Amino acid sequence: MNELVNRMGWTLEQRARIKQIFLLLTIAAVFGIGVSIALLVMGDSGGWLLLGIAIACWTATYLTLKYTRKSQP
């Protein structure tokens, strides 16, 4: 029974890796938002597409991690 309890949930290494991946994605999203704002200031309408992609990717990852964490015991 004790072995089963030890296998439940995320390990410390898994949690650290998830935090690392989320930090890298957040940095990439901030960079993408900055580039998209620069494109919009220069008058390029492609900045809206880049802005949407950056926000959508970050939001999808955030929600996936949030609901996956809630489903873990």
Side-chain angles (χ1 to χ4, degrees):
M1 180 67 177
N2 198 10
E3 296 168 4
L4 180 63
V5 173
N6 289 337
R7 292 184 193 169
M8 298 175 94
W10 287 346
T11 64
L12 185 62
E13 292 85 7
Q14 288 172 324
R15 282 184 267 159
R17 181 67 179 154
I18 288 169
K19 285 181 183 180
Q20 183 182 33
I21 290 171
F22 190 67
L23 176 65
L24 289 173
L25 183 65
T26 301
I27 291 169
V30 168
F31 179 74
I33 290 170
V35 171
S36 68
I37 290 172
L39 286 172
L40 289 171
V41 167
M42 293 184 332
D44 188 358
S45 62
W48 289 112
L49 179 64
L50 182 59
L51 181 64
I53 290 171
I55 291 173
C57 288
W58 187 88
T59 304
T61 304
Y62 173 77
L63 291 175
T64 300
L65 291 177
K66 178 181 174 182
Y67 290 119
T68 303
R69 188 178 311 140
K70 281 187 179 181
S71 69
Q72 293 291 325

